[in-house]
Amino acid sequence: MATVAFEGATRVYPGAQRAAVDALELEIANGEFLLLVGPSGCGKSTSLRMLAGLEEVDGGSIRIADRDVTHLPPKDRDIAMVFQNYALYPHMTVAENMGFALKMAGDRRGEIRQRVGEAAKILDLEPYLGRRPKALSGGQRQRVTMGRAIVRKPQVFLQYDPELCDVPEIVARTDPNNPPFPGQVVYLRLREDAQYHLFSAVSGRRLPD
């Protein structure tokens, strides 16, 4: 379980005359489902990449739980990040794709099956566990990538530009007192044209202008 805090976090790209992210102050509570929306160039992607450890932090700090992770490499932050491209193994089934990281970590088969099953239930993927990626729609493939991240049980779950056709449906039918990713901060960066109101069934807040 974790909270995430940006404490004056700043990113200035080399040669730039202004900061891409300027002294960001933001706290994300444990279990909160936070959405970042805004026009192109406002710092959504940069903020997400700073938290993931994919961008340097030029000023301020970023904390996950009680740890200062500002200068830690991504592998040491206990974060799972889902990108726009699915990066699924075409020769593996949905279940095998979702459980692959656990298999590589040496987890027991029974534990892998249990975690994959739990994630598949959350994401409505149970009927597709035996299929391969080519037999899935784009939205279903993205849910498989989400499931692959969820089974790792990271402290922080990040998603870049989620497919709006699927994610809101998952969120909308979720009990706010029983979030889909218990014990995790869920942090999404959405396209500037995102239909923000669709996510009000859980929670959401805009960054100050």
Side-chain angles (χ1 to χ4, degrees):
M1 297 185 179
T3 58
V4 169
F6 289 81
E7 300 172 345
T10 298
R11 174 58 171 152
V12 181
Y13 289 107
Q17 296 183 345
R18 56 179 296 182
V21 175
D22 190 5
L24 176 61
E25 295 282 347
L26 178 66
E27 184 170 317
I28 309 166
N30 177 50
E32 182 171 2
F33 196 104
L34 179 74
L35 317 175
L36 291 185
V37 294
S40 179
C42 73
K44 303 185 298 295
S45 296
T46 302
S47 298
L48 185 127
R49 290 173 60 84
M50 290 165 67
L51 176 56
L54 303 177
E55 290 284 357
E56 294 183 10
V57 179
D58 299 304
S61 62
I62 297 175
R63 303 184 68 84
I64 298 177
D66 295 324
R67 287 199 309 158
D68 185 338
V69 301
T70 309
H71 302 295
L72 286 182
K75 67 181 180 65
D76 295 330
R77 298 192 183 204
D78 195 12
I79 283 177
M81 188 169 184
V82 177
F83 295 92
Q84 286 173 291
N85 60 316
Y86 311 125
L88 298 175
Y89 296 106
H91 63 288
M92 292 184 182
T93 65
V94 167
E96 290 168 341
N97 267 284
M98 290 172 63
F100 183 71
L102 301 180
K103 180 180 179 181
M104 291 297 98
D107 287 12
R108 292 177 298 178
R109 290 183 180 180
E111 176 69 14
I112 295 173
R113 283 196 300 268
Q114 180 181 346
R115 290 201 196 180
V116 169
E118 291 171 350
K121 184 176 181 180
I122 291 171
L123 298 169
D124 275 354
L125 288 173
E126 290 177 295
Y128 311 107
L129 287 174
R131 295 189 185 183
R132 287 183 168 77
K134 67 180 181 180
L136 304 175
S137 68
Q140 289 167 344
R141 292 178 191 178
Q142 186 166 57
R143 278 187 276 159
V144 175
T145 66
M146 291 174 65
R148 185 170 56 188
I150 291 169
V151 297
R152 291 177 46 209
K153 296 187 177 180
Q155 290 194 88
V156 183
F157 180 86
L158 310 177
Q159 186 163 359
Y160 187 95
D161 280 350
E163 290 286 343
L164 296 179
C165 62
D166 281 319
V167 177
E169 295 177 4
I170 296 166
V171 174
R173 64 170 176 268
T174 299
D175 180 353
N177 297 316
N178 185 25
F181 313 114
Q184 301 169 332
V185 172
V186 182
Y187 183 90
L188 303 179
R189 178 272 193 204
L190 301 185
R191 290 183 289 268
E192 50 269 20
D193 61 350
Q195 298 180 48
Y196 178 80
H197 66 279
L198 290 175
F199 292 84
S200 62
V202 176
S203 67
R205 49 196 171 96
R206 292 179 181 271
L207 291 178
D209 295 332

